[in-house]
Amino acid sequence: MKNLILEKTDQVRWYTNMRDVFEAANIAPQDYDWYVSDIETNWKPPGFKLDDQWFTGDELAGFLLANEIQFIWAVFSAVPKGLRPITTPAPCVEDNPRYWDGTEPGPQLEGALFEIACWDSSGTILINLPAQAIDSFVTRYPGAKPLAAARS
């Protein structure tokens, strides 16, 4: 499995809690830099912008640890530390047909290793995660299925 979706299950407390997603996939946010785009959340913590933005891995890990936040819409693009590619166009989730067009999409951001998309607070889409992360996620959430199976 290259790409997964977790939706329509009671295995999660609530979808798109990125702290839980990283834990389930056994991904340390500190190992990457992150571009987070197309952001809508259930609340806006003080000092947090809903604009597309860069986080170091340490910043993202600290933010998620300090805030119980649900991302309704967002794309988390993981890049090697220190890489800051051009972000135009910014990765998007809500209007992105690539998730459903019958192909196996890769990360939208040039140079990204993988991406995690928060889909309308009702699903989590994992694109191009490392095999061990996929295995860990599926072990934690056996209801995760290949993204291709979710296409209509």
Side-chain angles (χ1 to χ4, degrees):
M1 279 183 280
K2 181 177 178 188
N3 298 324
L4 292 178
I5 187 167
L6 180 65
E7 63 176 349
K8 300 175 187 168
T9 182
D10 58 6
Q11 296 174 334
V12 294
R13 181 169 54 112
W14 37 278
Y15 292 96
T16 62
N17 176 332
M18 291 304 293
R19 186 185 328 162
D20 292 348
V21 171
F22 286 131
E23 183 180 303
N26 199 26
I27 292 173
Q30 301 89 332
D31 292 344
Y32 308 92
D33 280 348
W34 296 88
Y35 188 68
V36 184
S37 56
D38 199 14
I39 303 168
E40 183 181 333
T41 61
N42 64 337
W43 72 285
K44 186 176 160 284
F48 180 70
K49 302 178 300 179
L50 294 177
D51 302 328
D52 298 350
Q53 58 193 290
W54 282 102
F55 288 91
T56 67
D58 290 334
E59 290 168 342
L60 183 59
F63 174 77
L64 295 175
L65 185 60
N67 297 284
E68 188 78 22
I69 187 168
Q70 181 180 28
F71 287 85
I72 297 167
W73 298 100
V75 178
F76 287 74
S77 301
V79 299
K81 283 183 167 189
L83 179 68
R84 298 283 172 107
I86 295 172
T87 57
T88 304
C92 66
V93 60
E94 186 174 7
D95 296 321
N96 184 355
R98 294 180 54 225
Y99 295 136
W100 322 110
D101 70 3
T103 63
E104 283 291 339
Q108 298 171 68
L109 183 65
E110 182 78 28
L113 303 170
F114 59 89
E115 76 184 29
I116 301 169
C118 304
W119 180 264
D120 196 17
S121 69
S122 63
T124 306
I125 299 171
L126 310 172
I127 302 294
N128 205 44
L129 264 65
Q132 69 274 16
I134 292 284
D135 292 344
S136 179
F137 193 85
V138 170
T139 297
R140 175 80 165 277
Y141 300 121
K145 61 187 176 196
L147 180 59
R151 297 185 179 121
S152 47

